Amino acid sequence: MLGIVLCGGQSQRMGADKGMMMHGEKCWAQIAADKLSQLNIPVKISVSEQQLSAYSKVFSEIDFIVDGDSLSIKGPLLGLLSCHVAYPKEDLFVLACDLLLMETSMLATLIDNYRKENSGSYIFTNNGEAEPLCGIYTSKAISHILDIHKKEKLHKHSMKFLLEQLNVCKIALTGDQKKFFQNFNTPSEITF
């Protein structure tokens, strides 16, 4: 299994690359990478071609996976599929760089379910809605999605649509866990 920090978004509402924003002495991408590293899995950072130069100056010991030009997809799904193309035999544990409040214990819960259940993906749900940017996706499941895309039958390029095509282990969040899934899209949302 590989840990993947998803940083390839355009961050238009934030006005700056979210993965490179600082919280304390670390950038958001490093904070996410550190949390995944605590699971004792190798971690890579998913970026767009335009981000690679800036990220290379900050990260010296983490490998990058650059979004694939051959995939006519946008958003987090492009990062997920690009990582699969680079490492087709690996299951992928993805974490978006803007889930700053995520606790390692929540990530461990996904690992526990991954070890016990036999599903294509493992995610949390918030009031019945999927939280796809913190989840585990098996290589078999991602390969299935890539095949659908190659056949031009992937009608939506959203992570939630992807989940509709897979066998999903869903873990309902309790009230006090929902705060861990707050993502930050605009400067005014950052209040800590």
Side-chain angles (χ1 to χ4, degrees):
M1 178 184 297
L2 290 178
I4 304 293
V5 179
L6 293 174
C7 298
Q10 296 181 0
S11 304
Q12 291 176 334
R13 289 178 287 169
M14 185 63 76
D17 186 329
K18 289 193 274 187
M20 296 297 287
M21 293 185 69
M22 299 299 290
H23 179 67
E25 296 189 13
K26 293 184 178 181
C27 68
W28 291 12
Q30 183 64 60
I31 293 168
D34 289 349
K35 290 175 183 178
L36 286 170
S37 293
Q38 290 178 30
L39 302 172
N40 295 317
I41 58 175
V43 176
K44 307 209 179 279
I45 296 182
S46 170
V47 295
S48 69
E49 182 70 42
Q50 297 82 1
Q51 294 171 301
L52 186 58
S53 176
Y55 278 75
S56 295
K57 293 174 185 170
V58 174
F59 295 95
S60 60
E61 297 183 16
I62 293 182
D63 292 333
F64 299 99
I65 301 172
V66 179
D67 291 343
D69 290 337
S70 64
L71 298 168
S72 56
I73 294 177
K74 294 184 180 182
L77 184 56
L78 174 59
L80 180 68
L81 292 179
S82 296
C83 292
H84 175 71
V85 168
Y87 296 93
K89 294 184 179 183
E90 295 285 349
D91 295 340
L92 303 177
F93 195 138
V94 301
L95 180 62
C97 67
D98 64 353
L99 292 176
L100 284 178
L101 304 179
M102 182 57 61
E103 292 286 331
T104 307
S105 62
M106 299 298 291
L107 305 179
T109 297
L110 284 174
I111 291 278
D112 289 343
N113 279 272
Y114 168 81
R115 290 180 180 146
K116 289 188 249 178
E117 304 291 331
N118 184 19
S119 295
S121 61
Y122 304 80
I123 57 146
F124 291 100
T125 58
N126 189 346
N127 295 330
E129 290 291 319
E131 292 285 355
L133 299 183
C134 173
I136 299 172
Y137 299 86
T138 66
S139 61
K140 183 177 179 181
I142 305 168
S143 180
H144 173 66
I145 297 301
L146 191 57
D147 287 343
I148 293 172
H149 172 63
K150 287 177 180 175
K151 293 175 184 172
E152 298 183 6
K153 294 187 177 184
L154 192 62
H155 303 298
K156 295 180 185 175
H157 295 170
S158 76
M159 294 292 287
K160 290 185 180 182
F161 181 73
L162 166 141
L163 291 169
E164 293 173 11
Q165 316 308 309
L166 302 176
N167 177 18
V168 181
C169 173
K170 298 176 182 176
I171 306 157
L173 293 170
T174 61
D176 60 331
Q177 294 173 329
K178 293 178 182 181
K179 64 184 176 220
F180 302 135
F181 288 82
Q182 179 181 353
N183 63 346
F184 300 92
N185 294 310
T186 64
S188 64
E189 293 175 348
I190 303 171
T191 57
F192 48 88

